[in-house]
Amino acid sequence: MTEVELTDIVVNYRRRGSGPAVVLLHGLAEDHHSWNSVAPYLGSFTTYAVDLRGHGRTTSGRGAGTLSQLGDDLIMFLQAVTGPAAVVGYSLGGTIGLQAATTAPDLIRHLVVVATSSVVGRAAAGFFAARIAQIESGDLTGFAAGLRDDTALQIVTEADLDSLAASRVAAVGDGHGYVNAAMAMIGIRAVPLNPLLSRITAPLDIVGADRDVFCPRRASDIIADAVPHSRFHEIAGSGHLLSVDRPEAYGRLLARLLCEAETR
């Protein structure tokens, strides 16, 4: 593991492999470990699996609760560690990648967003607000139970739910990073991301799962409609947590998309 100091946070990340640089951004309530089942398929690249602000071993700093701050975190990481690189973002990480690609197109050579949404509806905002309230009230037991229930809805295959949920609770730590990121997602209801997506110039691949109830096909279509040069790819037999349900299909697809981008 390696650390780099970026303004108000110390970012923890794991570097693997050799070849062109690829930055991997996990989802909400995860950390760099969530890429462990996918990384073996990306050996032709130097991957940098980053712990997002307040997740895993990355410090929370002065969280502003905005997507623009999380996007700036990515931009600063690219500037300080990798230089221009491909970015693969899952769920929250994909939304962060979209944000950064609208403001620093020269730093993101290729963007892959997986199980990602660029809009937040009323129900989703209420979900985030409820989880924030649990953490801020000190009800971490209730939060952990809720996170376990959320995790169960994100998988469609047999998995060790208790172990998976425990790893996600551990990634959240004291909850400050979760609250910050959840506030950022709520914030795009008031400050929409979609009108900015036409600024994206990097090749954009959108990956969805056919049984994802959190980011269904419509979420991918909204992004694709805003970025005409994008491509959509679907993985069958998976819920939201593709790295759990279909790690081989997921890893092989990412490897193919990243290789194709290198030859364009």
Side-chain angles (χ1 to χ4, degrees):
M1 300 306 301
T2 309
E3 293 182 341
V4 60
E5 187 171 353
L6 303 177
T7 312
D8 67 318
I9 57 175
V10 177
V11 175
N12 179 69
Y13 64 95
R14 180 171 184 179
R15 175 176 171 168
R16 286 184 171 111
S18 61
V22 179
V23 177
L24 305 175
L25 305 177
H26 60 76
L28 186 64
E30 293 185 328
D31 61 15
H32 71 277
H33 291 102
S34 67
W35 295 103
N36 285 351
S37 63
V38 176
Y41 301 96
L42 305 180
S44 297
F45 300 89
T46 303
T47 60
Y48 299 79
V50 177
D51 285 347
L52 298 176
R53 178 183 290 261
H55 287 71
R57 292 173 54 189
T58 293
T59 59
S60 297
R62 298 180 295 278
T66 64
L67 187 61
S68 61
Q69 183 188 50
L70 295 175
D72 287 345
D73 289 345
L74 170 58
I75 291 168
M76 287 187 292
F77 183 85
L78 293 167
Q79 290 171 332
V81 179
T82 66
V87 173
V88 179
Y90 164 76
S91 196
L92 168 67
T95 309
I96 293 170
L98 290 171
Q99 167 69 33
T102 68
T103 58
D106 56 321
L107 286 172
I108 298 181
R109 299 174 56 238
H110 174 211
L111 178 60
V112 183
V113 297
V114 182
T116 293
S117 178
S118 60
V119 297
V120 172
R122 182 179 302 174
F127 164 83
F128 289 131
R131 292 287 177 263
I132 290 171
Q134 285 179 312
I135 292 174
E136 291 186 334
S137 69
D139 182 16
L140 296 184
T141 299
F143 173 80
L147 188 57
R148 185 185 187 281
D149 293 341
D150 301 340
T151 303
L153 295 174
Q154 295 179 38
I155 55 177
V156 298
T157 58
E158 293 293 327
D160 185 344
L161 181 58
D162 289 335
S163 176
L164 182 57
S167 69
R168 302 187 77 201
V169 170
V172 170
D174 62 13
H176 291 158
Y178 184 101
V179 168
N180 185 67
M183 289 177 62
M185 292 303 295
I186 293 173
I188 64 175
R189 274 182 61 77
V191 184
L193 177 59
N194 264 33
L196 305 179
L197 298 185
S198 61
R199 299 178 184 176
I200 295 176
T201 58
L204 174 62
D205 285 297
I206 305 165
V207 177
D210 66 340
R211 298 174 65 181
D212 187 347
V213 298
F214 284 77
C215 291
R217 175 63 186 268
R218 178 57 183 153
S220 295
D221 289 343
I222 289 171
I223 299 171
D225 288 345
V227 187
H229 63 271
S230 62
R231 303 184 302 172
F232 174 75
H233 317 268
E234 186 170 76
I235 294 179
S238 180
H240 191 62
L241 282 172
L242 291 91
S243 61
V244 175
D245 280 338
R246 296 295 309 279
E248 181 176 358
Y250 182 23
R252 291 189 184 281
L253 175 60
L254 290 182
R256 176 171 68 82
L257 297 179
L258 292 166
C259 285
E260 287 176 356
E262 286 299 315
T263 60
R264 287 179 195 170

mmCIF file of all heavy atoms in Angstrom, residues 67-93:
data_model
loop_
_atom_site.group_PDB
_atom_site.id
_atom_site.type_symbol
_atom_site.label_atom_id
_atom_site.label_comp_id
_atom_site.label_asym_id
_atom_site.label_seq_id
_atom_site.Cartn_x
_atom_site.Cartn_y
_atom_site.Cartn_z
ATOM 1 N N LEU A 67 -20.041 16.729 -4.954
ATOM 2 C CA LEU A 67 -19.428 15.905 -5.985
ATOM 3 C C LEU A 67 -18.218 16.605 -6.585
ATOM 4 O O LEU A 67 -17.245 15.955 -6.971
ATOM 5 C CB LEU A 67 -20.459 15.580 -7.071
ATOM 6 C CG LEU A 67 -20.007 14.593 -8.138
ATOM 7 C CD1 LEU A 67 -19.667 13.239 -7.530
ATOM 8 C CD2 LEU A 67 -21.079 14.445 -9.214
ATOM 9 N N SER A 68 -18.265 17.922 -6.651
ATOM 10 C CA SER A 68 -17.125 18.651 -7.217
ATOM 11 C C SER A 68 -15.871 18.435 -6.380
ATOM 12 O O SER A 68 -14.764 18.303 -6.933
ATOM 13 C CB SER A 68 -17.442 20.143 -7.343
ATOM 14 O OG SER A 68 -17.720 20.714 -6.089
ATOM 15 N N GLN A 69 -16.003 18.369 -5.054
ATOM 16 C CA GLN A 69 -14.825 18.112 -4.220
ATOM 17 C C GLN A 69 -14.279 16.709 -4.479
ATOM 18 O O GLN A 69 -13.057 16.524 -4.606
ATOM 19 C CB GLN A 69 -15.161 18.258 -2.739
ATOM 20 C CG GLN A 69 -13.938 18.078 -1.842
ATOM 21 C CD GLN A 69 -14.274 18.029 -0.364
ATOM 22 O OE1 GLN A 69 -15.158 17.276 0.052
ATOM 23 N NE2 GLN A 69 -13.593 18.840 0.425
ATOM 24 N N LEU A 70 -15.161 15.716 -4.571
ATOM 25 C CA LEU A 70 -14.706 14.356 -4.833
ATOM 26 C C LEU A 70 -14.068 14.254 -6.215
ATOM 27 O O LEU A 70 -13.089 13.529 -6.409
ATOM 28 C CB LEU A 70 -15.876 13.383 -4.706
ATOM 29 C CG LEU A 70 -16.485 13.272 -3.297
ATOM 30 C CD1 LEU A 70 -17.717 12.367 -3.317
ATOM 31 C CD2 LEU A 70 -15.464 12.754 -2.296
ATOM 32 N N GLY A 71 -14.621 14.991 -7.187
ATOM 33 C CA GLY A 71 -13.993 15.027 -8.501
ATOM 34 C C GLY A 71 -12.627 15.668 -8.456
ATOM 35 O O GLY A 71 -11.685 15.208 -9.118
ATOM 36 N N ASP A 72 -12.493 16.717 -7.658
ATOM 37 C CA ASP A 72 -11.186 17.374 -7.508
ATOM 38 C C ASP A 72 -10.175 16.444 -6.852
ATOM 39 O O ASP A 72 -8.978 16.489 -7.169
ATOM 40 C CB ASP A 72 -11.323 18.653 -6.690
ATOM 41 C CG ASP A 72 -12.000 19.781 -7.461
ATOM 42 O OD1 ASP A 72 -12.116 19.671 -8.701
ATOM 43 O OD2 ASP A 72 -12.419 20.763 -6.824
ATOM 44 N N ASP A 73 -10.643 15.592 -5.912
ATOM 45 C CA ASP A 73 -9.741 14.609 -5.307
ATOM 46 C C ASP A 73 -9.136 13.716 -6.381
ATOM 47 O O ASP A 73 -7.930 13.425 -6.369
ATOM 48 C CB ASP A 73 -10.497 13.738 -4.295
ATOM 49 C CG ASP A 73 -10.902 14.467 -3.022
ATOM 50 O OD1 ASP A 73 -10.377 15.569 -2.762
ATOM 51 O OD2 ASP A 73 -11.750 13.922 -2.284
ATOM 52 N N LEU A 74 -9.966 13.264 -7.313
ATOM 53 C CA LEU A 74 -9.474 12.422 -8.405
ATOM 54 C C LEU A 74 -8.499 13.198 -9.278
ATOM 55 O O LEU A 74 -7.430 12.680 -9.637
ATOM 56 C CB LEU A 74 -10.652 11.908 -9.237
ATOM 57 C CG LEU A 74 -10.291 11.211 -10.556
ATOM 58 C CD1 LEU A 74 -9.369 10.016 -10.331
ATOM 59 C CD2 LEU A 74 -11.565 10.782 -11.296
ATOM 60 N N ILE A 75 -8.843 14.406 -9.625
ATOM 61 C CA ILE A 75 -7.966 15.214 -10.477
ATOM 62 C C ILE A 75 -6.601 15.400 -9.821
ATOM 63 O O ILE A 75 -5.554 15.255 -10.479
ATOM 64 C CB ILE A 75 -8.631 16.570 -10.779
ATOM 65 C CG1 ILE A 75 -9.839 16.367 -11.700
ATOM 66 C CG2 ILE A 75 -7.630 17.546 -11.413
ATOM 67 C CD1 ILE A 75 -10.725 17.580 -11.826
ATOM 68 N N MET A 76 -6.595 15.713 -8.531
ATOM 69 C CA MET A 76 -5.324 15.900 -7.833
ATOM 70 C C MET A 76 -4.521 14.608 -7.778
ATOM 71 O O MET A 76 -3.282 14.620 -7.873
ATOM 72 C CB MET A 76 -5.570 16.454 -6.436
ATOM 73 C CG MET A 76 -5.995 17.908 -6.420
ATOM 74 S SD MET A 76 -6.080 18.616 -4.750
ATOM 75 C CE MET A 76 -7.478 17.723 -4.071
ATOM 76 N N PHE A 77 -5.200 13.463 -7.637
ATOM 77 C CA PHE A 77 -4.493 12.179 -7.638
ATOM 78 C C PHE A 77 -3.834 11.948 -8.986
ATOM 79 O O PHE A 77 -2.667 11.536 -9.065
ATOM 80 C CB PHE A 77 -5.458 11.039 -7.312
ATOM 81 C CG PHE A 77 -4.791 9.695 -7.214
ATOM 82 C CD1 PHE A 77 -4.206 9.284 -6.024
ATOM 83 C CD2 PHE A 77 -4.728 8.850 -8.311
ATOM 84 C CE1 PHE A 77 -3.562 8.051 -5.933
ATOM 85 C CE2 PHE A 77 -4.089 7.620 -8.233
ATOM 86 C CZ PHE A 77 -3.514 7.226 -7.039
ATOM 87 N N LEU A 78 -4.566 12.203 -10.056
ATOM 88 C CA LEU A 78 -3.994 12.045 -11.398
ATOM 89 C C LEU A 78 -2.791 12.966 -11.591
ATOM 90 O O LEU A 78 -1.752 12.556 -12.130
ATOM 91 C CB LEU A 78 -5.063 12.335 -12.453
ATOM 92 C CG LEU A 78 -6.225 11.343 -12.537
ATOM 93 C CD1 LEU A 78 -7.352 11.920 -13.389
ATOM 94 C CD2 LEU A 78 -5.768 10.016 -13.113
ATOM 95 N N GLN A 79 -2.902 14.189 -11.136
ATOM 96 C CA GLN A 79 -1.804 15.145 -11.290
ATOM 97 C C GLN A 79 -0.576 14.720 -10.484
ATOM 98 O O GLN A 79 0.560 14.863 -10.956
ATOM 99 C CB GLN A 79 -2.261 16.529 -10.850
ATOM 100 C CG GLN A 79 -3.282 17.172 -11.781
ATOM 101 C CD GLN A 79 -3.876 18.444 -11.221
ATOM 102 O OE1 GLN A 79 -3.968 18.613 -9.991
ATOM 103 N NE2 GLN A 79 -4.291 19.348 -12.094
ATOM 104 N N ALA A 80 -0.809 14.201 -9.280
ATOM 105 C CA ALA A 80 0.301 13.908 -8.373
ATOM 106 C C ALA A 80 0.929 12.533 -8.590
ATOM 107 O O ALA A 80 2.117 12.348 -8.328
ATOM 108 C CB ALA A 80 -0.178 14.011 -6.919
ATOM 109 N N VAL A 81 0.141 11.553 -9.053
ATOM 110 C CA VAL A 81 0.614 10.164 -9.050
ATOM 111 C C VAL A 81 0.762 9.580 -10.448
ATOM 112 O O VAL A 81 1.820 9.018 -10.781
ATOM 113 C CB VAL A 81 -0.330 9.274 -8.203
ATOM 114 C CG1 VAL A 81 0.136 7.817 -8.221
ATOM 115 C CG2 VAL A 81 -0.407 9.784 -6.769
ATOM 116 N N THR A 82 -0.250 9.663 -11.281
ATOM 117 C CA THR A 82 -0.232 8.901 -12.535
ATOM 118 C C THR A 82 -0.010 9.730 -13.784
ATOM 119 O O THR A 82 0.455 9.211 -14.798
ATOM 120 C CB THR A 82 -1.562 8.152 -12.729
ATOM 121 O OG1 THR A 82 -2.621 9.095 -12.906
ATOM 122 C CG2 THR A 82 -1.872 7.269 -11.526
ATOM 123 N N GLY A 83 -0.365 11.008 -13.749
ATOM 124 C CA GLY A 83 -0.467 11.757 -14.994
ATOM 125 C C GLY A 83 -1.724 11.310 -15.723
ATOM 126 O O GLY A 83 -2.558 10.585 -15.171
ATOM 127 N N PRO A 84 -1.909 11.721 -16.978
ATOM 128 C CA PRO A 84 -3.091 11.302 -17.728
ATOM 129 C C PRO A 84 -3.243 9.786 -17.735
ATOM 130 O O PRO A 84 -2.269 9.053 -17.938
ATOM 131 C CB PRO A 84 -2.814 11.841 -19.138
ATOM 132 C CG PRO A 84 -1.910 13.021 -18.900
ATOM 133 C CD PRO A 84 -1.038 12.627 -17.752
ATOM 134 N N ALA A 85 -4.458 9.314 -17.477
ATOM 135 C CA ALA A 85 -4.675 7.878 -17.305
ATOM 136 C C ALA A 85 -6.106 7.518 -17.654
ATOM 137 O O ALA A 85 -6.979 8.378 -17.784
ATOM 138 C CB ALA A 85 -4.380 7.471 -15.856
ATOM 139 N N ALA A 86 -6.329 6.233 -17.804
ATOM 140 C CA ALA A 86 -7.694 5.724 -17.895
ATOM 141 C C ALA A 86 -8.272 5.676 -16.482
ATOM 142 O O ALA A 86 -7.540 5.485 -15.509
ATOM 143 C CB ALA A 86 -7.705 4.335 -18.521
ATOM 144 N N VAL A 87 -9.577 5.845 -16.375
ATOM 145 C CA VAL A 87 -10.261 5.789 -15.088
ATOM 146 C C VAL A 87 -11.436 4.832 -15.204
ATOM 147 O O VAL A 87 -12.236 4.931 -16.142
ATOM 148 C CB VAL A 87 -10.757 7.181 -14.647
ATOM 149 C CG1 VAL A 87 -11.630 7.076 -13.388
ATOM 150 C CG2 VAL A 87 -9.576 8.122 -14.397
ATOM 151 N N VAL A 88 -11.517 3.895 -14.266
ATOM 152 C CA VAL A 88 -12.673 3.005 -14.160
ATOM 153 C C VAL A 88 -13.360 3.305 -12.836
ATOM 154 O O VAL A 88 -12.749 3.170 -11.771
ATOM 155 C CB VAL A 88 -12.267 1.521 -14.211
ATOM 156 C CG1 VAL A 88 -13.508 0.629 -14.062
ATOM 157 C CG2 VAL A 88 -11.535 1.208 -15.502
ATOM 158 N N GLY A 89 -14.615 3.728 -12.895
ATOM 159 C CA GLY A 89 -15.345 4.064 -11.680
ATOM 160 C C GLY A 89 -16.589 3.215 -11.543
ATOM 161 O O GLY A 89 -17.381 3.093 -12.482
ATOM 162 N N TYR A 90 -16.737 2.619 -10.372
ATOM 163 C CA TYR A 90 -17.908 1.789 -10.088
ATOM 164 C C TYR A 90 -18.884 2.565 -9.211
ATOM 165 O O TYR A 90 -18.486 3.094 -8.159
ATOM 166 C CB TYR A 90 -17.477 0.490 -9.385
ATOM 167 C CG TYR A 90 -18.624 -0.228 -8.722
ATOM 168 C CD1 TYR A 90 -19.538 -0.960 -9.484
ATOM 169 C CD2 TYR A 90 -18.827 -0.146 -7.348
ATOM 170 C CE1 TYR A 90 -20.609 -1.589 -8.883
ATOM 171 C CE2 TYR A 90 -19.892 -0.770 -6.741
ATOM 172 C CZ TYR A 90 -20.788 -1.495 -7.507
ATOM 173 O OH TYR A 90 -21.858 -2.101 -6.906
ATOM 174 N N SER A 91 -20.139 2.657 -9.615
ATOM 175 C CA SER A 91 -21.212 3.278 -8.825
ATOM 176 C C SER A 91 -20.826 4.702 -8.428
ATOM 177 O O SER A 91 -20.646 5.551 -9.293
ATOM 178 C CB SER A 91 -21.542 2.389 -7.623
ATOM 179 O OG SER A 91 -22.772 2.740 -7.040
ATOM 180 N N LEU A 92 -20.648 4.995 -7.147
ATOM 181 C CA LEU A 92 -20.184 6.319 -6.724
ATOM 182 C C LEU A 92 -18.920 6.708 -7.480
ATOM 183 O O LEU A 92 -18.780 7.849 -7.937
ATOM 184 C CB LEU A 92 -19.924 6.334 -5.220
ATOM 185 C CG LEU A 92 -19.162 7.547 -4.663
ATOM 186 C CD1 LEU A 92 -19.997 8.812 -4.797
ATOM 187 C CD2 LEU A 92 -18.746 7.302 -3.211
ATOM 188 N N GLY A 93 -17.982 5.770 -7.616
ATOM 189 C CA GLY A 93 -16.732 6.057 -8.320
ATOM 190 C C GLY A 93 -16.959 6.467 -9.761
ATOM 191 O O GLY A 93 -16.238 7.309 -10.305
#
